Amino acid sequence: MQEDIKMEKMTTYTPEFLGIPTGVWPTLGGAGNSGEGVVIGMIDTGINPNHPSFASQSSGVGSHLNRRKFRGICTTGDGFPQTACNGKIAGAHHYARGAIAAGDFNATRDYASPFDADGHGSHTASTAAGNHQIPVMVNGFNYGYASGMAPGAGIAVYKALYTFGGYMADVVAAVDQAVEDGVDILSLSIGPSDVPPGPSTFLNPLEIELLFATNAGVVVVQAVGNGGPVSSTILSFSPWITSVAASITDRKYNNTIILGNGQSFSGTSIAPPTTGEVQFPIAAAADVCSRNSSYEMVENCHHKEPFIQSLVRGKLIICTYSYDFELDPATIAMVAETIQSVGAAGFIMTMDPQTGGEEIDGTILTLRIPGIILNNLDTTTNLWEYYNSHTIRNRNREAVAFTATARILDGRRAVYTGQGPIVASYSSRGPDVNNALFQTADVLKPNVMAPGSSIWAAWSPNSEGDHHIKGENFALASGTSMSTPHISGIAALIKQKHPDWSPAAITSAMMTTANVTDHLGAPILAQQFYQLAPATPFDYGSGAINPARALDPGLVFDIKFEHYIQFLCAVPGVDDDSVRRAVGIECPTEKTWCSDLNTASITVSNLVGSRKVTRRVTNVCSEKETYQVTLKEPMGVAVTVSPKVFNISPNASRHLRILLEAKEARNVYTFGELVLEGSKNHVVRVPLAVFVSSAIGY
């Protein structure tokens, strides 16, 4: 009996950012037909069946019975009638045995049905396969129109998570049912809360369940985790899983405050403007609160009790962002609630010089009242100088006249910088690990990167997950939870175009065609602690997803089930009995390296002297093509490849033999790439990640 493991959830413009409306949907019969015949299984917090993103469509998406092999059923329950499975929602189940056994499940709050009482599941489902061109209305404002990556795909719902997270036993049961139902893609915006115990991360019950899903032809897509930018924070481990990193896009929600003296400062907030072009008086929170209140209770504007109604009404209140915001569940939303309840005109959030951070949490909240967050210490200082010089005080230092004024502009209209993608700071980083001792693995994780920051998508109006957006149909969320369904939806588009491709081939297509440069042509950068640095494969895997190229990759690296078994048998510290108990299959007598698995990347975590690695490529193009191999060697490693030039016919395969020779032990991973350039304009990129433990002596 294995102890149940706690699982965690990982939270409009992105189709355009990824080039899908012009480069992909037209080739698949238009947006409404893109994904037609494919079913994406979402293992999450359920779905809001009343949302327009999941309404049955009269054309395109209506012919759902193209889904040849899907045989799931609709489990009804509280908030989820039989009519909820309308064709767009192809099937639905819910799982809570593990949560009930742990005492976490509350039927009144959590709904014993596939209904989404959280919002997370509706968000991820609509990102993957939500209907095309659904108006995003929040607080009465239209933020644009939302579309999933594969608007024509069906959604099968497997609710195994709740506001409190979930348990591996329920997630494994959900995976089992999804495979039985015949889903094509399995999307998991979830992962374990920590590296599981046992001989290997690859042998934990969920990883093995997902291996059998892969063997059944299901493409498994999982969030890589939100533990970045710290290294080795990966929580999606196995080579049969497509593990997704998160990026920020070039869309920004900036705002401006204009002071009475004509000065203007930039900040952030998705908030309405103050009325007209009227200047409103400014008051510091401490100057409009009762004198006997504590500094901490007043400055952060989290409590309405200290405010003096007659002084605060109609003013813009200066609040201060402090350590409380990071250590407690204090949020910008609480500030907005307080300011609204006391009758103020809005708020200005300034930074405490002692905090010194670069970014204030909560800046992607959509606010109902005017407000601006000044993320910059210089701006904060300038605002306070203006305020203090325009505030008249008596001998007791009490403010008696407020002559500083300002107005806040509309922060709800996005601007686009043209830059990006950039690896998001929270996105978990490699290297992957073999076990809870954090011994690194010969597996590249993440695999690929997609947008994950400030993603607009469907929500559940009676969400118990975040009461600050309760009642809304859409929410703006960030996390590898949000990047994952982008890849699930794009995998569905590839599956539609190439229905006979294996899961490994689809993953390979996404990896080898990914971009390592941003939209301006510069190398992709990664957010680190308070700085940007050049990104590596441990930040973004093979790079940022390029959907149009992934539909036509030229070559793929395919993998069969028995090769995954060989991989497991080669994992250091794993004996044959452990593999047999996990998968019911004996290890082959021939021993290999983990790095021999035919992935679209090469990772060697312990290079001693030299190692020979073989890769097998298959031509999925309809024409014969000539490929030329070019190399960028990792520092301290000499790499030779044979052959350097080869011809390959349609459906044929060729072996590439790669020799890695250690030249210098640098005590860090170094990175390179193998690039196969085809005569028909296909470019196949294979990242190299090598840790030299011992160099060849001369």
Side-chain angles (χ1 to χ4, degrees), residues 15-91:
E16 286 78 12
F17 186 75
L18 297 173
I20 289 175
T22 54
V24 178
W25 287 341
T27 70
L28 299 173
N33 291 309
S34 293
E36 178 62 41
V38 180
V39 176
I40 303 174
M42 305 295 303
I43 297 182
D44 215 297
T45 64
I47 199 166
N48 170 16
N50 309 310
H51 199 284
S53 289
F54 312 123
S56 183
Q57 302 293 291
S58 56
S59 62
V61 147
S63 53
H64 292 300
L65 298 178
N66 279 352
R67 300 170 191 151
R68 301 169 302 282
K69 63 179 186 134
F70 186 74
R71 50 193 172 271
I73 62 167
C74 190
T75 304
T76 60
D78 193 8
F80 209 86
Q82 189 67 43
T83 52
C85 292
N86 56 8
K88 177 64 176 176
I89 299 175

Side-chain angles (χ1 to χ4, degrees), residues 562-584:
E562 57 264 30
H563 300 140
Y564 290 126
I565 303 301
Q566 281 184 314
F567 165 85
L568 286 174
C569 296
V571 173
V574 172
D575 58 34
D576 292 4
D577 286 345
S578 298
V579 175
R580 186 173 61 252
R581 282 195 302 272
V583 298

Side-chain angles (χ1 to χ4, degrees), residues 149-165:
M149 301 298 106
I155 298 165
V157 180
Y158 302 90
K159 178 177 171 180
L161 292 176
Y162 300 87
T163 53
F164 53 81

Side-chain angles (χ1 to χ4, degrees), residues 63-279:
S63 53
H64 292 300
L65 298 178
N66 279 352
R67 300 170 191 151
R68 301 169 302 282
K69 63 179 186 134
F70 186 74
R71 50 193 172 271
I73 62 167
C74 190
T75 304
T76 60
D78 193 8
F80 209 86
Q82 189 67 43
T83 52
C85 292
N86 56 8
K88 177 64 176 176
I89 299 175
H93 296 269
H94 62 100
Y95 303 87
R97 282 187 182 177
I100 291 168
D104 284 342
F105 185 81
N106 178 324
T108 304
R109 177 194 65 195
D110 298 317
Y111 287 74
S113 79
F115 181 80
D116 182 10
D118 180 90
H120 190 270
S122 300
H123 199 283
T124 55
S126 68
T127 302
N131 289 329
H132 183 53
Q133 286 289 92
I134 304 301
V136 178
M137 297 293 296
V138 176
N139 298 330
F141 186 81
N142 186 342
Y143 284 89
Y145 295 85
S147 295
M149 301 298 106
I155 298 165
V157 180
Y158 302 90
K159 178 177 171 180
L161 292 176
Y162 300 87
T163 53
F164 53 81
Y167 288 87
M168 191 178 283
D170 293 329
V171 174
V172 167
V175 173
D176 195 46
Q177 186 63 56
V179 174
E180 178 77 17
D181 288 348
V183 301
D184 299 291
I185 317 291
L186 202 49
S187 189
L188 298 98
S189 286
I190 56 172
S193 49
D194 210 339
V195 178
S200 172
T201 53
F202 312 121
L203 292 177
N204 84 65
L206 179 58
E207 305 288 311
I208 294 300
E209 192 69 31
L210 295 174
L211 172 59
F212 285 117
T214 304
N215 189 39
V218 180
V219 181
V220 177
V221 184
Q222 186 181 25
V224 81
N226 295 331
V230 178
S231 63
S232 277
T233 45
I234 300 292
L235 292 171
S236 174
F237 311 103
S238 298
W240 48 87
I241 299 169
T242 306
S243 307
V244 186
S247 70
I248 61 174
T249 68
D250 68 336
R251 182 179 65 190
K252 308 286 182 196
Y253 285 99
N254 295 329
N255 204 346
T256 301
I257 183 169
I258 301 175
L259 305 183
N261 64 2
Q263 275 187 292
S264 64
F265 301 131
S266 293
T268 59
S269 70
I270 306 176
T274 48
T275 308
E277 297 198 2
V278 179
Q279 293 278 332

Side-chain angles (χ1 to χ4, degrees), residues 307-326:
F307 284 96
I308 301 167
Q309 293 280 337
S310 58
L311 288 179
V312 75
R313 192 171 301 281
K315 294 185 175 70
L316 294 173
I317 307 303
I318 303 176
C319 308
T320 301
Y321 170 74
S322 65
Y323 279 118
D324 293 346
F325 280 66
E326 297 170 327

